[in-house]
C-alpha cells in the first residue's frame, strides 16, 4: 500500500497542478481504504487510455495483486479522488485458486 500511495502522490505532483491534497487512511470492515483527493485539473477519459500511462496502470496492478481495487472519480468543481481498497488480509495463493476449499 505504501508504494501505491507513493505513486498516487507522484501522479498528483506531476500532472494535477493541485494546491491541496487530502489523504485519509481508514478501516472499513475487513478492508483498508486509502482515499486521496486533490483540487487539481482533474482526469480526462483520454488520460486513462494513454499508452504510456504507467502510474495508474501500476497502481491497479499492485492493488490487484493484493486483492484490491482502484476507484477514480471527479471532484466538483475541480480535482480527482482516488479510492484504494484492499483486504486487511490479502488472499493466499491457495484461496485464489479454489475459493470453495474448506480450511484445514
Amino acid at each position: 500500500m505504501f508504494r501505491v500511495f507513493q505513486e498516487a502522490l507522484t501522479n498528483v505532483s506531476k500532472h494535477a497542478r493541485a494546491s491541496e491534497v487530502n489523504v485519509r487512511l481508514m478501516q472499513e470492515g475487513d478492508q483498508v481504504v486509502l482515499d486521496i483527493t486533490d483540487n487539481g485539473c482533474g482526469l480526462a477519459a483520454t488520460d486513462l487510455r494513454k499508452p504510456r500511462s504507467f502510474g495508474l496502470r501500476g497502481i491497479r496492478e499492485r492493488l490487484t495483486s493484493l486483492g484490491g481495487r482502484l476507484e477514480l472519480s471527479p471532484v466538483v468543481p475541480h480535482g480527482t479522488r482516488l479510492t484504494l481498497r484492499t483486504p486487511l488480509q490479502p488472499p493466499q495463493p491457495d484461496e485464489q485458486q479454489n475459493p470453495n476449499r474448506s480450511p484445514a
Side-chain angles (χ1 to χ4, degrees), residues 19-62:
S19 62
E20 186 175 314
V21 177
N22 293 300
V23 178
R24 292 186 321 152
L25 178 64
M26 60 209 123
Q27 179 180 342
E28 289 181 358
D30 63 348
Q31 291 187 327
V32 173
V33 179
L34 179 60
D35 190 71
I36 304 165
T37 306
D38 69 60
N39 67 346
C41 60
L43 274 171
T46 55
D47 294 333
L48 300 175
R49 292 189 299 267
K50 288 181 183 175
R52 299 188 59 83
S53 177
F54 298 115
L56 289 175
R57 185 178 308 141
I59 289 172
R60 280 194 179 101
E61 288 173 3
R62 284 185 190 266

Side-chain angles (χ1 to χ4, degrees), residues 4-22:
V4 170
F5 176 60
Q6 187 177 37
E7 184 61 38
L9 291 183
T10 298
N11 283 349
V12 170
S13 70
K14 283 184 176 181
H15 306 292
R17 298 188 305 268
S19 62
E20 186 175 314
V21 177
N22 293 300

Side-chain angles (χ1 to χ4, degrees), residues 46-90:
T46 55
D47 294 333
L48 300 175
R49 292 189 299 267
K50 288 181 183 175
R52 299 188 59 83
S53 177
F54 298 115
L56 289 175
R57 185 178 308 141
I59 289 172
R60 280 194 179 101
E61 288 173 3
R62 284 185 190 266
L63 286 172
T64 299
S65 73
L66 295 171
R69 69 181 189 275
L70 168 65
E71 301 166 10
L72 295 166
S73 56
V75 174
V76 177
H78 302 288
T80 302
R81 179 179 184 182
L82 281 75
T83 304
L84 316 160
R85 297 179 182 275
T86 189
L88 281 170
Q89 297 293 322

